[in-house]
Amino acid sequence: MSTIRFLRTFLAVAHHGSFSEAAEQVALTQAAVSFQMRTLEAELGRELFDRSGRLAILNAAGRELLPEIKHLLDLYDRLRRPNTAPGELAGSVAVGSIVSCMGTLSKVISGLKKAHPKLDVRILSGKASELAGKVEDGELDAAFLVEAGRKMASTRWTPLYEEQLVVIAPRSAAGEDARQVLAANPFLRFDRTQRTGLQIDRLLRRMGVPLNEFLELNAIETLVELVRQEVGVTLLPLINGSNWQQIPELRILHLPGDLGPLSRAIGMLERREHARQGITAAICEACAQAFRAREPQTAA
């Protein structure tokens, strides 16, 4: 079984590009990771990395073996799955989620674990781009995140719902429509290092509205709270399950219809071939039902 452990360490090194960062992921010392990789190279009869200082980048042989090693570990994980009755879910899975999906996903997972005592699910929160990378590298079995324009042949995307992009302003804000409100008040921007932030930035550029930018945050709920406190206005997705329309201090304004896509797509990303597809499919279906039940009413 030591070879299986070494192969998992190999995937961590391949993902991070360094022994030290991989060591943190697999809970080993850097020296232990280096020893495992030297042993694996000796067993396979070839060097797998180009080593330069602290870096360890896959060479041609390593890149050639990477998909085979992922496939081998998936086969091994299938062998380890416990025998289950029809309809029973059992085994361990790791699922990622962006913050806005975390509440619903956590409730769904909690319900599934009560119904299926042999099911073990670990949930990880993160940015969409980071979670997508972890799915592609096999660190996560699936992730609930914002759709990206780039599609990987090795992954499968299951769309779940869309969230409309809207302007959110305090009742006291100057302006009658979305353009006027954005131009006349301090603007609170969502983090442009995230997929949603980039989409919002592109949308604002198409609108061509002069902005009085005040701050930029990586926290949607905090931005909404600042708007409620009359700090400024913002442009955000209308989060599934939010109660923003019922907050008397807030105005929710539609964007002009001539700007192209005005929503972000949320779905589940997973590798096309992995050992826990039955579990991720059940999680996805349960989440789809929960998300549909929580869809906000059309903003006024």
Side-chain angles (χ1 to χ4, degrees):
M1 295 301 101
S2 61
T3 300
I4 295 296
R5 293 197 299 272
F6 291 3
L7 293 178
R8 295 195 192 281
T9 302
F10 168 84
L11 292 185
V13 177
H15 173 66
H16 291 287
S18 88
F19 290 157
S20 59
E21 292 187 32
E24 294 183 12
Q25 179 186 322
V26 297
L28 294 171
T29 64
Q30 181 176 338
V33 169
S34 180
F35 169 77
Q36 286 190 5
M37 294 303 94
R38 289 290 186 189
T39 303
L40 184 63
E41 288 175 323
E43 184 172 341
L44 297 177
R46 72 202 81 171
E47 291 189 355
L48 303 174
F49 303 96
D50 290 329
R51 294 171 171 84
S52 175
R54 295 185 177 182
L55 298 180
I57 308 300
L58 289 180
N59 59 20
R63 292 193 298 272
E64 182 180 1
L65 283 177
L66 182 60
E68 300 296 331
I69 288 175
K70 288 181 178 179
H71 181 61
L72 178 61
L73 289 174
D74 277 339
L75 290 176
Y76 176 72
D77 288 339
R78 286 191 178 96
L79 291 174
R80 294 180 62 243
R81 283 187 298 181
N83 292 326
T84 59
E88 182 182 9
L89 301 178
S92 299
V93 295
V95 180
S97 174
I98 57 175
V99 172
S100 61
C101 295
M102 183 60 76
T104 299
L105 176 62
S106 299
K107 292 179 181 179
V108 165
I109 295 299
S110 178
L112 287 174
K113 290 178 70 172
K114 289 178 181 178
H116 305 276
K118 295 180 181 179
L119 180 62
D120 178 30
V121 184
R122 179 172 63 91
I123 306 178
L124 175 71
S125 176
K127 295 182 178 180
S129 56
E130 295 171 350
L131 295 173
K134 291 180 182 296
V135 170
E136 292 166 10
D137 293 331
E139 295 181 45
L140 291 174
D141 297 300
F144 291 81
L145 40 76
V146 181
E147 184 180 19
R150 178 180 65 98
K151 296 292 192 300
M152 296 289 293
S154 60
T155 59
R156 177 187 295 108
W157 171 257
T158 303
L160 292 173
Y161 61 93
E162 293 192 354
E163 292 177 334
Q164 183 182 10
L165 295 173
V166 295
V167 172
I168 306 173
R171 290 287 175 185
S172 60
E176 297 299 323
D177 59 24
R179 289 184 186 272
Q180 293 177 4
V181 167
L182 287 172
N185 299 275
F187 183 63
L188 314 180
R189 183 187 286 274
F190 184 59
D191 184 2
R192 278 171 286 192
T193 66
Q194 300 211 43
R195 290 179 180 177
T196 299
L198 286 172
Q199 183 180 1
I200 290 171
D201 187 56
R202 289 192 293 267
L203 179 55
L204 288 168
R205 291 177 186 275
R206 292 201 300 272
M207 293 179 71
V209 177
L211 298 174
N212 175 20
E213 301 215 25
F214 182 52
L215 57 81
E216 184 169 346
L217 287 178
N218 177 15
I220 288 178
E221 292 292 346
T222 301
L223 287 171
V224 174
E225 177 59 23
L226 289 173
V227 171
R228 191 188 68 80
Q229 295 178 24
E230 302 185 340
V231 174
V233 303
T234 190
L235 198 165
L236 292 171
L238 188 59
I239 298 299
N240 180 282
S242 70
N243 67 338
W244 301 342
Q245 301 95 318
Q246 285 75 50
I247 299 177
E249 298 92 339
L250 297 181
R251 295 165 60 192
I252 310 296
L253 299 105
H254 289 291
L255 294 168
D258 60 348
L259 297 172
L262 298 177
S263 62
R264 70 172 186 174
I266 305 294
M268 188 183 80
L269 184 73
E270 63 181 325
R271 284 179 295 137
R272 288 193 176 276
E273 298 294 336
H274 65 90
R276 293 160 289 277
Q277 288 181 334
I279 297 176
T280 55
I283 293 173
C284 186
E285 176 57 30
C287 282
Q289 295 178 14
F291 286 130
R292 284 195 294 269
R294 290 170 58 86
E295 285 182 353
Q297 297 177 353
T298 302

